[in-house]
């Protein structure tokens, strides 16, 4: 299909807690439509040279929800960014964090 130069590239920003599936969702969205600008890139995707974020959003995907709200408010609803939030079952999330605590190790041991 020929690329329509009049159509702007869609921007998708993904947010969620650690171990909630943000990396998987980022890969699935980008692999489903490589015309999308899916941000922010994870360190894992950058390591694999799978950069899906062409125009950085300026916010991290694990940012506190109150800061995300401020970012959304400043970009305007229906603006250049569409936001996707990953919410995981709390019991499944805690079990996942217990197995791979990353920076939260002192909270779980």
């Amino acid at each position: 299909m020929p690329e329509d130069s009049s159509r702007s590239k869609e921007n998708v920003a993904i947010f969620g807690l650690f171990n909630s599936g943000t990396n998987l969702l980022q890969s699935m969205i980008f692999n489903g439509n490589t015309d999308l600008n899916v941000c922010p890139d994870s360190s894992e995707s950058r390591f694999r040279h799978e950069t899906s974020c062409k125009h950085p959003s300026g916010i991290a995907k694990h940012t506190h929800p109150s800061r995300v709200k401020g970012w959304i408010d400043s970009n305007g609803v229906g603006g250049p960014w569409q936001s996707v939030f990953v919410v995981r079952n709390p019991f499944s999330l805690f079990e996942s964090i217990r197995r791979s605590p990353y920076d939260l190790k002192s909270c779980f041991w």
Side-chain angles (χ1 to χ4, degrees), residues 6-42:
S6 65
R7 196 179 104 214
S8 63
K9 190 172 188 110
E10 293 289 326
N11 299 308
V12 178
I14 297 175
F15 301 101
L17 296 174
F18 293 100
N19 292 355
S20 63
T22 56
N23 290 341
L24 175 62
L25 180 63
Q26 178 181 8
S27 293
M28 289 175 63
I29 290 173
F30 183 69
N31 289 330
N33 184 349
T34 56
D35 287 337
L36 293 174
N37 179 35
V38 185
C39 295
D41 278 325
S42 66

Side-chain angles (χ1 to χ4, degrees), residues 80-92:
W81 289 93
Q82 301 301 317
S83 301
V84 178
F85 294 84
V86 179
V87 180
R88 185 171 178 179
N89 176 302
F91 297 107
S92 174

Side-chain angles (χ1 to χ4, degrees), residues 1-106:
M1 176 186 281
E3 187 175 325
D4 181 3
S5 59
S6 65
R7 196 179 104 214
S8 63
K9 190 172 188 110
E10 293 289 326
N11 299 308
V12 178
I14 297 175
F15 301 101
L17 296 174
F18 293 100
N19 292 355
S20 63
T22 56
N23 290 341
L24 175 62
L25 180 63
Q26 178 181 8
S27 293
M28 289 175 63
I29 290 173
F30 183 69
N31 289 330
N33 184 349
T34 56
D35 287 337
L36 293 174
N37 179 35
V38 185
C39 295
D41 278 325
S42 66
S43 56
E44 186 176 311
S45 65
R46 286 190 302 270
F47 175 76
R48 292 189 315 255
H49 304 289
E50 295 174 356
T51 305
S52 63
C53 182
K54 310 297 190 279
H55 303 285
S57 58
I59 190 165
K61 65 182 171 184
H62 302 306
T63 300
H64 191 278
S66 65
R67 289 189 181 166
V68 172
K69 182 183 181 318
W71 179 83
I72 291 171
D73 290 344
S74 69
N75 284 291
V77 175
W81 289 93
Q82 301 301 317
S83 301
V84 178
F85 294 84
V86 179
V87 180
R88 185 171 178 179
N89 176 302
F91 297 107
S92 174
L93 178 64
F94 283 134
E95 177 59 23
S96 176
I97 292 173
R98 188 189 65 75
R99 282 184 273 133
S100 302
Y102 302 106
D103 293 336
L104 299 174
K105 190 170 187 170
S106 62

